[in-house]
Amino acid sequence: MPEPELTIRAGRRAVRITSASKRLFPADGITKRDLAEYYAGIADAMVPLLKDRPINLWRWNAGIDGPRVVQQEIPKGAPEWVRRIEVPRRKGGTVVHAVGGDAATLVWLANQNCITPHAWASRADKPSTPDRIVFDLDPPDESADAHFPVIRAGALLLGEHLRGLGLEPFAMTSGSRGLHVVAPLRRRHPADAVRARAGEIAEEVVAAHPDAGLTTFWRKEKREGRVLLDTARNTYGQTSVAPYAVRAIPGAPVATPLAWEELDDPELHPRRWTLRTVPERIAAHGDPWAAIAKAASELRLR
């Protein structure tokens, strides 16, 4: 028999959820309904961090054991109330993205089997002018746990360097294998200039700390076991995993914003918080990134 229709209240809207009992995380028993309810419940913290940002949908229509679909174009049949924007592609043409902005959009994304929304580093009114600079500290191989002490120490060094440049760093677990360090920017420079400066900053950190186990080499065979300071997310049209997004990994870990001092915790782990534990964390401590927009500073180019 067909499932009874389910709606989830998200802000002022009741959003329809189809196939609500579909197990997106089969080993954990986590269903599409669970995912949608998570995003509805986390919206007060997540929406301000995604507001006005073009979104890519990372969808698992058959659950996390099935194929992944990365979708830039807003799905056909999207409700009219889902905000959208047409932006130029880097190599020509245009694409129409969904835009973050309210709780109902988060729940609608979950109904599209979008487990992990990814967001631009710029906002829809100035898509070519980022207001965040993003660094992804990525382990050299699949044994992420073995490399995480270097990742954590590298994030602290990067944060110190960014402060020396007049920027305020914010940290986030990736929910997968590493950490992201993000600094909010005043919107002055185009994405190409921000990407170039991010690369220079990464090179400066690596050169200043040659024994820290960090590298800027993209190709893994050149990394020699070192952690990559990845700056590619700053390229125009590229995206990063959204703060508070669920990752398509058993256990449903979440990309979780951190208070900076949490990087000092040797128990920190990139998959420490999950769909089931993040709401309690926010209820107890609030959102560590709540003031990120107010901390925006000028990125000084060379």
Side-chain angles (χ1 to χ4, degrees):
M1 295 181 61
E3 289 191 42
E5 182 171 309
L6 170 70
T7 59
I8 290 179
R9 174 62 59 178
R12 296 175 299 167
R13 301 187 185 279
V15 183
R16 180 170 175 260
I17 305 297
T18 59
S19 303
S21 64
K22 179 196 293 184
R23 292 198 172 194
L24 296 177
F25 295 76
D28 302 291
I30 295 173
T31 64
K32 188 197 284 193
R33 176 178 185 163
D34 296 325
L35 183 71
E37 289 179 340
Y38 165 80
Y39 281 123
I42 209 74
D44 284 350
M46 189 173 182
V47 165
L49 302 176
L50 283 186
K51 187 173 176 59
D52 300 330
R53 298 184 187 278
I55 302 294
N56 281 0
L57 285 68
W58 287 39
R59 304 169 67 184
W60 281 262
N61 294 325
I64 67 169
D65 295 335
R68 180 187 71 191
V69 177
V70 177
Q71 184 168 346
Q72 296 186 58
E73 192 86 23
I74 189 171
K76 293 181 180 179
E80 55 83 25
W81 47 261
V82 176
R83 188 181 167 198
R84 60 207 75 192
I85 182 174
E86 184 174 2
V87 296
R89 295 183 186 270
R90 188 172 180 86
K91 296 184 178 180
T94 62
V95 60
V96 178
H97 285 278
V99 176
D102 59 15
T105 295
L106 290 177
V107 175
W108 172 78
L109 289 170
N111 190 49
Q112 306 303 304
N113 304 304
C114 175
I115 294 174
T116 314
H118 281 59
W120 283 40
S122 56
R123 303 200 301 271
D125 60 332
K126 291 185 177 181
S128 63
T129 310
D131 65 348
R132 292 177 185 171
I133 187 169
V134 182
F135 300 85
D136 180 5
L137 288 88
D138 188 43
D141 53 48
E142 297 301 321
S143 56
D145 291 0
H147 298 285
F148 196 69
V150 173
I151 291 173
R152 188 168 61 84
L156 288 166
L157 293 174
L158 174 59
E160 180 182 5
H161 191 82
L162 290 170
R163 288 194 183 95
L165 297 173
L167 301 174
E168 185 64 29
F170 289 75
M172 178 177 79
T173 66
S174 70
S176 180
R177 303 189 305 157
L179 291 169
H180 290 186
V181 174
V182 177
L185 305 177
R186 294 174 185 158
R187 296 193 289 179
R188 299 284 192 270
H189 306 297
D192 287 349
V194 174
R195 165 68 191 274
R197 186 67 185 108
E200 292 167 355
I201 291 170
E203 294 282 2
E204 292 163 7
V205 173
V206 170
H209 304 281
D211 299 323
L214 305 173
T215 184
T216 58
F217 283 117
W218 178 261
R219 295 177 63 179
K220 289 190 175 183
E221 59 268 26
K222 289 191 173 184
R223 295 189 202 173
E224 299 179 339
R226 290 171 292 179
V227 167
L228 174 66
L229 276 181
D230 182 5
T231 60
R233 301 303 95 196
N234 297 289
T235 305
Y236 172 83
Q238 292 294 309
T239 60
S240 300
V241 60
Y244 296 114
V246 180
R247 304 309 299 264
I249 298 171
V254 168
T256 306
L258 303 172
W260 190 259
E261 58 269 21
E262 289 182 283
L263 291 176
D264 292 321
D265 182 1
E267 299 300 317
L268 184 66
H269 189 277
R271 298 184 296 280
R272 182 168 179 175
W273 291 283
T274 71
L275 173 149
R276 292 188 169 117
T277 62
V278 161
E280 181 181 353
R281 168 180 163 86
I282 291 181
H285 304 292
D287 172 29
W289 282 24
I292 190 170
K294 295 179 182 179
S297 300
E298 182 79 27
L299 177 65
R300 296 191 296 269
L301 304 182
R302 280 183 172 175

